[in-house]
Amino acid sequence: MFKKVLIANRGEIALRILRACKELGIPTVAVHSTADESAMHVRLADESVCIGPPASKDSYLNIHEILAACEITGADAIHPGYGFLSENAKFADILKEHDITFIGPSADHIRVMGDKIEAKNTAKRLGIPVVPGSDGAITEDTEAKRVAAEIGYPVIIKAASGGGGRGMKVALNEASISEALHTARSEAGAAFGDDAVYIEKYLSTPRHIEVQVMGDGKGGGIHLGERDCSLQRRHQKVLEEATSPALDEAGRQKIGDICAKAIQGLGYSGAGTIEFLWENGEFYFIEMNTRLQVEHPITEMITRIDLVTEQLRVASGAGMSVKQEDVIITGHAIECRINAEHPKTFVPSPGTISYYHPPGGLGVRVDSGVYQGYKIPPYYDSLIGKLIVHARTREECLARLRRALDEFVVDGIETTLPLFRDLVTNPDIIAGTYDIHWLEKYLASKAD
Ligand code: MV4
């Protein structure tokens, strides 16, 4: 196992990683910006190093400072968490050159999945069902029209370097494809410095269902079931649940087996997520994330497997502690992302938490680095915590979530807690009959 792990992140995920390290008896190093001196992950780590001013580019994204912190403290591994440097292939390369273990997949796997065209071709080759569309980048109108005619309208044009919804354009018919192609290319070029785009059949009302996978880097790989992340606003997930209300056991096993085999075929190492759109009972691959995700706790709750511990084991060469037959899914879990934002306008609400009372009791988990008196800095993502509940059935899980939301008090700032209190009594949420557009429509209907 590692001698010392440096956590190159902040907030609740830094704390989450720290907890796994502590349970494994691994000393930890927290790095932080000057804005995060009083953060909980800094207080709880064995050592901490200030790596720069508040702006992320000067601190949490500053590879030189993070490397220096490793040298000073003697850390032999870095966990990147999510966001920041977690899917930066160059960072993984640099760590390798310095004999520091990147707790994540190989730089090559990060690179392949970072290019959505390569990712899709790789997925297809590995037997994963993909959205019908172009095999490669599209530059010419004639080519775009030929592909679109073949797959049928509407089509969507996406940036190869995109993800997270940026640089997408829908074309409803041949008359609008030329403009969609050119707009998508110029937006992609401006946003990512890469104007490569590709075309897919546009799915009008899918669900977003993703499969958690884990590889041992030696041809072993498993799946840990799916998460339904259809409830999103502006490509930000708001509430996630596992299992998906749309899937039955046979459907789960079928897509899970496909994903596990793909991970084995790739020789993938560590945790990953294979993202799908799901419509009319069919799965269509869109992207693969090569990191631990924000919503990983709901998978942990239904499998009782510590995903960060498994990441640490795999990266250190100890191998996974579980085989596929040890992954037994029980019950249902839901996560609410608590953001320091106004619940209706979603305007960020940094400031001091004057009173804090998190919920507790059976099946309730709160992953958060905040505490009473903590001042949320204005420089970073507004996620301040996650409320995760687990119960034997989805119905019991929703009842437990309502109860936990009633107990949760965060005063002094605005949070998204009131939004969740509304959502958990909504008939569509209770029935589980929502798609990727449901939340935006719901918010629009409540606005007037
Ligand atoms: C799509 C799609 C419909 N058809 N692809 C948005 C983010 C990016 N990761 C993929 N996205 C979409 N790709 C095809 N072929 C609709 C979306 C989409 C979406 C996907 C997941 C969750 C929320 C979404 C909201 C709007 C659009």
Side-chain angles (χ1 to χ4, degrees), residues 120 131-132 155-156 158 163-166 168 170 200-208 229-235 237 275-277 286-287 436-437 440:
K120 212 176 149 183
V131 189
V155 297
I156 185 166
K158 297 181 173 180
R166 292 209 296 162
M168 302 193 318
V170 176
E200 281 183 349
K201 173 93 190 154
Y202 178 70
L203 304 175
S204 62
T205 55
R207 299 181 76 116
H208 172 123
C229 307
S230 301
L231 291 172
Q232 306 199 6
R233 178 189 172 270
R234 299 193 181 170
H235 303 294
K237 292 167 187 164
E275 290 191 347
F276 295 94
L277 295 179
I286 45 170
E287 290 171 25
I436 59 168
H437 304 296
E440 301 262 17

Side-chain angles (χ1 to χ4, degrees), residues 147 193 298 307 355 367 388 418 422:
V147 174
I298 55 176
L307 290 173
Y355 184 80
D367 278 19
I388 305 116
D422 285 348

Side-chain angles (χ1 to χ4, degrees), residues 155-158 167-171 179-181 183-184 187:
V155 297
I156 185 166
I157 302 171
K158 297 181 173 180
M168 302 193 318
K169 283 281 166 290
V170 176
E179 191 187 318
L181 177 65
T183 319
E187 283 185 14

Side-chain angles (χ1 to χ4, degrees), residues 92-381:
D93 277 334
I94 291 169
L95 291 194
K96 200 172 174 113
E97 285 164 22
H98 286 77
D99 269 317
I100 298 162
T101 304
F102 177 77
I103 301 168
S106 70
D108 287 342
H109 284 147
I110 296 173
R111 209 167 267 123
V112 167
M113 297 307 168
D115 180 324
K116 308 305 163 192
I117 296 174
E118 258 199 84
K120 212 176 149 183
N121 287 331
T122 304
K124 204 169 170 179
R125 181 170 55 76
L126 291 163
I128 298 175
V130 303
V131 189
S134 62
D135 293 326
I138 298 278
T139 54
E140 306 301 322
D141 284 9
T142 50
E143 214 185 348
K145 285 175 184 169
R146 183 186 57 76
V147 174
E150 201 179 299
I151 61 179
Y153 288 91
V155 297
I156 185 166
I157 302 171
K158 297 181 173 180
S161 296
R166 292 209 296 162
M168 302 193 318
K169 283 281 166 290
V170 176
L172 299 177
N173 48 52
E174 197 178 276
S176 57
I177 198 156
S178 174
E179 191 187 318
L181 177 65
H182 291 104
T183 319
R185 288 193 71 194
S186 66
E187 283 185 14
F192 313 110
D194 170 16
D195 65 0
V197 300
Y198 61 108
I199 297 186
E200 281 183 349
K201 173 93 190 154
Y202 178 70
L203 304 175
S204 62
T205 55
R207 299 181 76 116
H208 172 123
I209 301 179
E210 57 186 34
V211 177
Q212 177 70 54
V213 292
M214 179 78 75
D216 67 4
K218 302 170 199 163
I222 62 172
H223 77 89
L224 296 101
E226 83 284 4
R227 296 183 286 260
D228 197 313
C229 307
S230 301
L231 291 172
Q232 306 199 6
R233 178 189 172 270
R234 299 193 181 170
H235 303 294
Q236 293 288 321
K237 292 167 187 164
V238 171
L239 177 151
E240 306 98 342
E241 57 181 319
T243 55
S244 169
L247 278 199
D248 60 17
E249 188 50 39
R252 173 168 309 113
Q253 282 214 16
K254 189 173 170 217
I255 196 67
D257 281 349
I258 288 169
C259 291
K261 286 202 174 73
I263 287 310
Q264 293 159 19
L266 257 185
Y268 189 80
S269 178
T273 301
I274 307 182
E275 290 191 347
F276 295 94
L277 295 179
W278 181 95
E279 197 171 67
N280 300 324
E282 301 290 335
F283 279 95
Y284 302 92
F285 172 92
I286 45 170
E287 290 171 25
M288 177 171 179
N289 299 319
T290 54
R291 61 170 190 278
L292 183 72
Q293 289 197 269
V294 175
E295 61 273 22
H296 77 277
I298 55 176
T299 298
E300 296 186 320
M301 301 315 281
I302 62 164
T303 62
R304 301 163 310 285
I305 294 165
D306 185 322
L307 290 173
V308 180
T309 294
E310 296 304 320
Q311 285 188 297
L312 289 159
R313 288 183 59 106
V314 168
S316 73
M320 292 189 280
S321 73
V322 286
K323 300 183 287 294
Q324 189 67 63
E325 68 244 41
D326 302 320
V327 182
I328 297 160
I329 290 166
T330 52
H332 195 87
I334 302 178
E335 171 179 279
C336 297
R337 297 192 184 196
I338 317 297
N339 289 350
E341 289 173 355
H342 190 282
K344 287 198 164 75
T345 62
F346 299 94
V347 171
S349 179
T352 302
I353 296 178
S354 56
Y355 184 80
Y356 183 67
H357 180 83
L362 181 62
V364 176
R365 166 176 173 183
V366 177
D367 278 19
S368 177
V370 308
Y371 50 87
Q372 192 160 309
Y374 175 67
K375 190 176 178 185
I376 298 155
Y379 312 104
Y380 312 105
D381 189 279

